[in-house]
Amino acid sequence: MTDPNAIQPSALDQLPDRDPEETAEWQASLDAVAKAAGPHRAAYLMRRTLERAEGAGIALPKLLETDYVNTIPTAAEPALPGDEAMEARITAWNRWNAAAMVTRGSKYGVGGHIATFASAAWLYETGFNHFFKGKEADGSGDQLYIQGHASPGIYARAFLDGRLNEDHLDNFRRESGGNGLPSYPHPRRLPWLWEFPTVSMGLGPLSAIYQARFNRYLTNRGIKDVSDSHVWAFLGDGEMDEPESTAALALAAREELDNLTFVINCNLQRLDGPVRANFKIVQELEAQFRGAGWNVIKTLWGSAWDELFRLDTTGALVRRLREVPDAQVQTYQTRDAAYIRQDFFGKDPALAEMAKLLSDDKILEIFHFSRGGHEPRKVYAAYKAAVEHKGAPTVILAQTVKGHTLGEGFASKNANHQMKKLSVDEFKAMRDLLDLPIKDSDFVDGVVPYGHPGADSPEVRYLQERRAALGGPAPARRVHPLPALPAPAEKAFTSFDKGSGSQNVATTMAFVRLIKDLVRDKETGKRWVPIVPDEARTFGMESLFPSLGIYSPKGQTYEPVDRDQLMYYKEAENGQILNEGITEAGSMADFIAASTSYATHGEAMIPFYIFYSMFGWQRTADQMWQLGDQLGRGFLVGATAGRTTLTGEGLQHADGHSPVIAATNPAALTYDPAFAYEVAVIVREGLRRMYGEAKPGEDQDVFYYLTVYNEPLPQPAKPQGLGIDEGIVKGLYRFNTAESAGVEVTAGAPRIQLLGSGTAIHWALEAQKLLAGEWGVAADVWSATSWSELRRDALEADEALLRGEERVPFVRQALQGAEGPVLAVSDYMRQVPDQIAQWVEQDWSSLGADGFGLSDTREAARRHFGVDAQSIVVAALAQLAKRGEVKATAVKEARERYGL
């Protein structure tokens, strides 16, 4: 058996020892210390030696964990500038009003959260008073990702500042009256205050990293110098369980984003109980962030602990702090001094002796109140160290007590996240603790009053002076009036009007060709932000590599293997393409940062993010919702779209439902273009609507979702006639009639209207020929570029009717007078075309690719789902037979003829 005490081989054993005698002396010294002073002293010396080596730049693996103490010792803390007493009074007012707002709203049953801001108040106030740059200074200011559950505290500060009034606070979570406050940071609901939606937990930290990265992108590409902007992300320790929270830590370190600081409020509680009941979340996060290459600052203990650490001459206190699990720390918060003496100090004789020097009141002060995140001096020291650190992002792990200052009924209780109000007695106790000048008589009929020292009070003047010095109010969202971007040359859009002749072109390739022309535009070309998750070659975009370059803050430090080729892999510090690797979530975070640059930085950027359509909405739909909430603008492009066009890939790649998911997002304009010229018209209209001259009443804060296909097919010429472009934009136009298509039909022949979207229109065109040539049926073919836009227009018409306004939906106008029934078909589930069924006056039926995808040829897959041309013919004959316009036997005959 292997001796468990034997020294095990390590990587160092693979290196030749140039001086075995010296090595043996070092090892003997360590053994001697362990024997004479104990293993704890030996471990202490080794840790300090490793820290010294790290500080000296000696190449050694980094320590992933440090002791459970503050990173910045008290003696090294800088002086806190400003008036600490004044800042304490301001914070007290904000604590009070945050709790009052939620409590007063509880009578309406709308909910709200009190405990989170109570724990994090000083984390925010220290930043607002000394660090967070506003929008009115030079540059773009800082970007603040506020923890969603802390929103009452941010509203309370805006109330103190005069940006909100009591009526606003009384309408917290009650927006329908027009003067309400949204529950969480929602830019779409309160666009002058909130910049970033954060309460879908995990998306805030991910977005913050890519926002900091996009800031560097703007600077390095010469669009705007935003090097003074700092990104602050306020997060919960429980939130860090979300995989998105830590998904991009390595990116932030790899690109040395020292313009980014995470502040993680480690109150050791999540929504139902402790974050790491049997472990230590701070230590876990420290190891995770340090391992990823971040600068880690722990701010755990308040000044009351200083005396204990001075008394800890043996290291017993540090050892005990390292071993106590988080749930027990939470228990100490709620127990008396006798329990703490026995359970915490009683585990070690040295600690028991230490406890004899402490009064019960001192023990309670230390364990109930003294946390690093509750002391502005400690928080200021951490923030200052963070913004001064260069070469890596910083995370601050600040320990707090959830429900701090709210009383014994709240502090550290497992249920405090769900507790929505304080009693009058609890408020009075809180008032006394915070020393606020609120009288008992101010509680009228048991209603807690809001507190305000007065618009001209020293507190308000101090707050406003501090914000003025830092560049104005925060948080704040500013959309400076921007001139409309000039429209690109028309030639880029009309190049597809003549069709492709005998050349087969997939609409994915048509889109890429269009982008290649648009990025060459002298006025707007530099504003395009191509984003792709490591699939550029799949989409035929490799030709953009050498011309635009792939963004890398390091440039290209190697010679690419394909340098001798025309389309070589070129990285550049000012590269335009964001090739994110295999991360749809990261790519979406990129897109959100770029799509909101018009507000964040006053620079309109035009992002397009191209992805496997199956892996966009299905995988990152929550971020698409975040995009809409943040008022983002740009083009999402679902390539290799549809359930049957991507040959051989199978179920997980076969998208039959992304337009359904997209249709649920009010900000998304979803299009399924069939032809290259349709792609051009839609992109041109998108540029006009989002970046050009908006029409009266038109919402510019939208984004486009286009599905494009990888199936090479002949691209027809754009039909001539009025209203084609309007039909493409609104969602439907007649591509041809049986007569204009050149198929022979007899006078009075039965007629049907075939509506197809995307690649399905090609099956409809083939069915048009079969119906005429083999069954004597005339079919007109329509291109349905957007089922969801047709539905949206129809819903608006219905709403207008309720107001007494007569309005005919566009789909009904377009199909007015069209003979025969309507048969709709797409490469998606039938639910996609069925969106408009109730507004179509003609008899309606549809075909689609419902069910799971499968691997096979396109032809076999379409036959499997019953959407190929022959299936369309049978479905059309069935509709006509039901109306008595063809013989019923024709349906059976067709089915047998086509082997269905």
Side-chain angles (χ1 to χ4, degrees):
M1 290 182 62
T2 303
D3 181 359
N5 297 315
I7 297 176
Q8 300 299 309
S10 70
L12 293 177
D13 294 329
Q14 309 303 315
L15 302 176
D17 190 342
R18 295 185 301 176
D19 194 339
E21 185 176 348
E22 182 184 35
T23 303
E25 289 174 359
W26 275 78
Q27 293 170 336
S29 297
L30 181 63
D31 293 340
V33 171
K35 184 176 181 180
H40 297 302
R41 178 61 180 170
Y44 177 87
L45 290 176
M46 286 301 300
R47 186 178 292 275
R48 293 296 174 263
T49 302
L50 288 170
E51 289 174 352
R52 181 61 173 259
E54 184 179 317
I58 298 173
L60 282 173
K62 291 186 177 181
L63 291 170
L64 294 186
E65 286 186 30
T66 58
D67 288 328
Y68 201 66
V69 297
N70 295 347
T71 302
I72 303 172
T74 301
E77 292 172 4
L80 177 68
D83 187 333
E84 187 172 350
M86 181 68 71
E87 292 176 18
R89 292 204 296 275
I90 291 170
T91 304
W93 285 116
N94 291 339
R95 287 181 181 279
W96 177 273
N97 288 321
M101 178 193 328
V102 177
T103 297
R104 286 169 67 129
S106 66
K107 65 181 179 181
Y108 301 105
V110 294
H113 301 286
I114 302 176
T116 294
F117 178 73
S119 69
W122 276 114
L123 302 180
Y124 290 105
E125 292 299 322
T126 304
F128 285 130
N129 289 328
H130 301 288
F131 292 94
F132 303 156
K133 294 186 285 292
K135 305 298 182 185
E136 296 170 8
D138 293 338
S140 301
D142 288 353
Q143 288 83 55
L144 308 180
Y145 288 77
I146 304 294
Q147 191 179 2
H149 294 130
S151 62
I154 308 304
Y155 290 140
R157 194 172 213 275
F159 170 66
L160 203 66
D161 195 12
R163 294 199 288 165
L164 296 175
N165 56 39
E166 287 193 13
D167 189 39
H168 288 113
L169 301 193
D170 267 345
N171 283 286
F172 173 57
R173 290 192 168 209
R174 296 192 299 136
E175 300 178 73
S176 60
N179 203 25
L181 299 177
S183 51
Y184 303 121
H186 287 306
R188 186 168 286 276
R189 290 299 183 208
L190 203 61
W192 60 267
L193 180 73
W194 298 119
E195 272 198 290
F196 307 107
T198 55
V199 85
S200 185
M201 287 189 282
L203 298 190
L206 179 68
S207 294
I209 290 173
Y210 281 89
Q211 181 66 56
R213 196 283 198 87
F214 187 74
N215 290 357
R216 290 281 172 84
Y217 173 88
L218 284 181
T219 300
N220 289 342
R221 288 199 53 226
I223 303 292
K224 182 179 182 180
D225 185 353
V226 295
S227 52
D228 286 339
S229 289
H230 200 88
V231 178
W232 300 82
F234 289 84
L235 316 167
D237 48 359
E239 180 178 7
M240 301 311 293
D241 284 347
E242 290 283 6
E244 294 90 348
S245 295
T246 54
L249 298 186
L251 166 72
R254 186 169 65 244
E255 300 205 1
E256 301 178 356
L257 298 180
D258 49 26
N259 60 340
L260 169 67
T261 298
F262 276 15
V263 181
I264 302 181
N265 178 16
C266 297
N267 56 34
L268 313 185
Q269 288 184 250
R270 50 190 178 197
L271 308 188
D272 287 332
V275 179
R276 292 290 182 272
N278 297 297
F279 306 94
K280 301 187 82 63
I281 185 60
V282 169
Q283 300 299 87
E284 179 182 320
L285 291 174
E286 178 184 30
Q288 195 168 14
F289 278 87
R290 284 174 70 89
W294 285 54
N295 176 44
V296 179
I297 299 173
K298 293 196 290 193
T299 304
L300 307 179
W301 308 113
S303 55
W305 283 82
D306 291 347
E307 180 180 346
L308 262 68
F309 287 122
R310 284 194 296 269
L311 295 172
D312 184 29
T313 58
T314 66
L317 176 62
V318 173
R319 292 196 298 274
R320 181 71 179 128
L321 289 174
R322 193 185 307 141
E323 69 188 21
V324 176
D326 283 353
Q328 192 63 24
V329 173
Q330 183 182 355
T331 297
Y332 294 147
Q333 182 67 35
T334 63
R335 298 300 179 90
D336 59 21
Y339 178 89
I340 298 171
R341 283 184 188 277
Q342 178 182 352
D343 192 86
F344 182 82
F345 293 100
K347 301 293 185 182
D348 186 290
L351 290 180
E353 290 299 313
M354 183 188 299
K356 293 177 182 178
L357 304 175
L358 304 173
S359 67
D360 284 356
D361 287 345
K362 186 66 175 179
I363 287 177
L364 292 180
E365 176 192 357
I366 291 170
F367 281 85
H368 284 193
F369 299 102
S370 189
R371 299 291 186 274
H374 295 321
E375 296 193 11
R377 289 175 179 266
K378 305 288 185 186
V379 176
Y380 179 85
Y383 285 10
K384 188 172 187 292
V387 297
E388 291 177 354
H389 186 81
K390 300 302 177 186
T394 294
V395 60
I396 296 169
L397 303 174
Q399 185 162 269
T400 66
V401 174
K402 193 168 185 178
H404 183 61
T405 73
L406 297 180
E408 294 181 359
F410 263 84
S412 282
K413 295 298 175 65
N414 280 340
N416 61 19
H417 189 77
Q418 303 302 326
M419 297 162 69
K420 311 301 181 187
K421 60 183 179 180
L422 276 69
S423 68
V424 169
D425 288 342
E426 287 172 325
F427 266 110
K428 290 179 179 178
M430 181 183 176
R431 170 201 62 189
D432 296 342
L433 178 65
L434 298 177
D435 195 24
L436 290 172
I438 296 173
K439 302 185 293 293
D440 286 356
S441 59
D442 293 333
F443 292 81
V444 179
D445 296 327
V447 177
V448 58
Y450 293 120
H452 199 294
D456 196 39
S457 64
E459 291 94 332
V460 173
R461 288 201 307 272
Y462 182 90
L463 181 155
Q464 293 177 341
E465 287 168 2
R466 291 306 309 140
R467 289 312 314 157
L470 288 165
R477 182 178 182 272
R478 296 285 185 270
V479 181
H480 300 286
L482 297 175
L485 293 183
E490 190 68 12
K491 182 180 178 181
F493 302 107
T494 59
S495 61
F496 299 101
D497 287 359
K498 294 181 180 179
S500 64
S502 60
Q503 182 183 7
N504 290 338
V505 177
T507 50
T508 297
M509 183 55 66
F511 177 80
V512 172
R513 287 184 185 178
L514 175 63
I515 294 300
K516 286 177 66 176
D517 289 338
L518 293 176
V519 295
R520 294 192 187 105
D521 185 84
K522 293 181 179 179
E523 296 290 335
T524 60
K526 67 178 182 179
R527 297 192 176 275
W528 284 89
V529 184
I531 303 167
V532 60
D534 199 40
E535 290 280 9
R537 298 182 193 277
T538 301
F539 308 136
M541 292 175 59
E542 64 268 29
S543 61
L544 298 179
F545 289 168
S547 58
L548 301 184
I550 299 166
Y551 172 73
S552 169
K554 298 286 187 182
Q556 193 152 33
T557 60
Y558 61 91
E559 183 178 354
V561 67
D562 54 359
R563 182 61 184 87
D564 58 339
Q565 299 177 16
L566 182 62
M567 294 184 287
Y568 70 97
Y569 197 83
K570 177 186 175 183
E571 297 188 76
E573 188 176 351
N574 64 346
Q576 192 164 351
I577 300 169
L578 291 172
N579 191 322
E580 287 305 350
I582 304 174
T583 167
E584 283 81 8
S587 299
M588 267 307 302
D590 259 338
F591 187 89
I592 292 169
S595 70
T596 54
S597 180
Y598 72 92
T600 309
H601 295 300
E603 294 287 345
M605 303 299 287
I606 313 171
F608 79 87
Y609 164 35
I610 187 167
F611 51 88
Y612 263 96
S613 68
M614 183 66 161
F615 303 137
W617 285 90
Q618 175 167 299
R619 181 171 289 197
T620 57
D622 195 13
Q623 287 179 285
M624 274 75 164
W625 201 267
Q626 179 190 14
L627 167 65
D629 198 3
Q630 201 167 317
L631 310 176
R633 305 170 184 174
F635 297 94
L636 296 177
V637 183
T640 60
R643 184 147 277 165
T644 69
T645 60
L646 189 58
T647 57
E649 290 287 356
L651 185 151
Q652 288 193 343
H653 286 65
D655 170 26
H657 53 276
S658 70
V660 178
I661 306 175
T664 65
N665 192 312
L669 279 62
T670 303
Y671 286 89
D672 186 25
F675 306 123
Y677 67 79
E678 292 177 354
V679 172
V681 170
I682 294 164
V683 171
R684 181 177 59 190
E685 171 63 11
L687 289 173
R688 181 208 63 78
R689 177 166 179 174
M690 295 184 290
Y691 301 97
E693 296 290 346
K695 298 174 183 177
E698 191 172 51
D699 185 6
Q700 284 190 286
D701 297 323
V702 296
F703 61 92
Y704 282 66
Y705 175 52
L706 279 69
T707 51
V708 292
Y709 298 83
N710 72 323
E711 185 175 8
L713 292 164
Q715 293 296 324
K718 184 177 180 180
Q720 299 299 308
L722 297 175
I724 298 297
D725 283 10
E726 179 190 24
I728 292 172
V729 170
K730 289 190 173 183
L732 183 67
Y733 69 97
R734 182 155 49 196
F735 176 73
N736 69 16
T737 63
E739 291 76 14
S740 66
V743 296
E744 295 185 10
V745 290
T746 59
R751 188 173 289 267
I752 190 169
Q753 308 299 318
L754 302 180
L755 277 57
S757 69
T759 195
I761 201 168
H762 296 280
W763 322 329
L765 290 170
E766 186 180 348
Q768 181 186 51
K769 296 177 182 177
L770 292 173
L771 283 166
E774 299 184 12
W775 306 100
V777 173
D780 301 336
V781 176
W782 300 70
S783 180
T785 53
S786 179
W787 307 102
S788 61
E789 283 304 291
L790 292 172
R791 176 179 176 82
R792 186 171 289 167
D793 171 80
L795 289 172
E796 291 172 358
D798 286 355
E799 291 172 6
L801 189 61
L802 290 175
R803 297 191 300 267
E805 303 171 19
E806 288 291 337
R807 213 184 107 192
V808 180
F810 178 78
V811 63
R812 190 169 294 170
Q813 295 177 43
L815 290 171
Q816 187 174 12
E819 298 177 36
V822 168
L823 174 59
V825 60
S826 80
D827 203 16
Y828 300 94
M829 54 198 301
R830 289 175 61 182
Q831 187 175 339
V832 174
D834 283 350
Q835 293 179 81
I836 66 169
Q838 71 184 83
W839 293 280
V840 174
E841 293 181 314
Q842 292 86 346
D843 291 341
W844 172 274
S845 66
S846 63
L847 296 175
D850 285 79
F852 289 109
L854 77 164
S855 300
D856 214 314
T857 63
R858 293 186 179 108
E859 293 75 17
R862 286 161 189 167
R863 175 54 60 91
H864 170 81
F865 287 110
V867 293
D868 59 350
Q870 291 79 9
S871 298
I872 294 173
V873 169
V874 173
L877 292 174
Q879 270 192 288
L880 292 169
K882 190 182 297 184
R883 293 161 57 95
E885 296 180 21
V886 301
K887 295 179 180 179
T889 55
V891 181
K892 182 175 183 294
E893 183 184 345
R895 199 179 291 125
E896 292 174 350
R897 182 182 301 182
Y898 300 136
L900 295 176

